Amino acid sequence: MNLIKTYWLFFGSLTVGLLIWVLAYMLLPLEAVQPIKTKTILFIVSCYIAIIAGFVMFNFKTITNQRITYNTQKVVKLLLIIIVVSFALRWYDLFVNRNLSFANDLKFNRFLNDDNFKQNQVLLIVASVLKSLYFFPFVICIRANLKRPKFYIIASYIVLFFPLLEAILKGTRKPFFEIFLIIVFTFIAYQKPKINFKRISITVIAVVILMSISMLILLKRENYSENFDDTFYKSLLESRYNEILKPTDAAINYFETTNHSQLTKLYVMSGLHTGQYITHGAFEFNHIIDIDSLSIGYGMYNYSIIPKFFNKISLSSIPIANLSPRKYVYLTQFGSYYIDFRWFSLVLMFLFGVFQKYIYQKSFQSVIYSPILMYFLIINVFLMILSYTRGAGIYVLFGFLFLLFLLKIFEKKLHEESISS
């Protein structure tokens, strides 16, 4: 019990992730095309047990029993410089090199993003990795309760929303949810006594706004219909999510009747579609788990971003292929790892739990580790939804390692004192 109390963020994030999935599936009118298989349940449960076992069985206090204090203002300043420069280079790449525009159709922007990529632009590639640190200043300011200088605090809040520009350009919804969770977890972790009715109300309003934005992005990206007519709802109800997890007949009838206002229908559809977004990954995984022809990826499905990087700078020409039979749908973290490692995934999940314990205990020692702790909490919440460590999600870890490298180089300028605890 004391372990849960000390590391409540870890256990809480796993619980919240499961609750979100279970509630979304139970409360929304959805039904699986295929019944969930015993093998699927066993694999998912085993992965959760492995993560928790890895977290519980290891203790790094002997390594992390020394509290290190950096000059928070200088660290935040360094991070803000890295982030602003990285995003400036990224936006130059998107608008100038790749010709993306807010005037373009979202699908066309996605096409241009891939088609107009230029090889050997190492600086721009590095910038796309380092921009993943966008939430670090915000978390550090909240954790350290930084009050001055005001400019750094305001700038930390501003850069937190920088990723939304690219998200709007490409019609990507994930950054909206990610930023929301970063804010929520950070305030729960480090401002818990200040949580009141007003802040809870703001959170509820934020959820409604997120649902609205999510739906608007989906509509603009897919161009289902210019009018909210029968064709519009029929197109949504025939999207790729419905192949594995479809709305019930009662839900379909709701959108076919004329007894409800268009605004009500739109928000109901938004809730239904968000529910499918949250829950369908487990059923996608359930669909592929027994496919005999499913290739073993040996890491190429989850970590293809690494050979892609070397391909982009012309140091290799490794072929990259999407090994999932379902291609562009989420398979949960567990499904993604199953494609790459089958049941050996349990060992990796165990190590994932061990690594989280190390980061958690290091966060007691230094505020520098607080942002990466928040990121792991988000990964935990999304375990049943998608693989956060697949693709660009791993950029945060590379960016964090780069930050530690810089802190080591400028240790004398940024380091204030080391105090035995």
Side-chain angles (χ1 to χ4, degrees), residues 263-277:
L263 184 62
T264 303
K265 281 186 177 182
L266 188 61
Y267 271 98
V268 171
M269 176 59 77
S270 179
L272 183 66
H273 207 273
T274 301
Q276 285 180 298
Y277 178 87

Side-chain angles (χ1 to χ4, degrees), residues 94-95 100-102 105-106 109 164-171:
L94 292 175
F95 289 110
L100 272 67
S101 170
F102 289 110
D105 177 81
L106 297 181
N109 273 340
L164 297 187
L165 188 146
E166 186 171 344
I168 295 170
L169 264 179
K170 296 181 181 179

Side-chain angles (χ1 to χ4, degrees), residues 72-85 137-138 141 146-160 162:
T72 308
Q73 293 181 7
K74 291 182 179 179
V75 172
V76 170
K77 180 181 178 181
L78 174 65
L79 279 166
L80 287 172
I81 292 171
I82 293 171
I83 293 163
V84 170
V85 171
F138 169 78
C141 284
L146 191 66
K147 300 294 184 183
R148 294 180 183 279
K150 287 286 186 181
F151 174 77
Y152 290 171
I153 300 169
I154 294 170
S156 297
Y157 276 84
I158 292 173
V159 299
L160 180 65
F162 272 12

Side-chain angles (χ1 to χ4, degrees), residues 129 132 174 302-306 337 372 375 379 387-401:
V129 174
S132 65
K174 183 178 161 187
N302 281 277
Y303 303 111
S304 61
I305 200 75
I306 298 173
Y337 269 65
I372 200 69
Y375 193 68
I379 292 175
S387 175
Y388 240 89
T389 57
R390 182 172 182 256
I394 203 173
Y395 283 173
V396 177
L397 299 180
F398 290 141
F400 179 62
L401 290 175

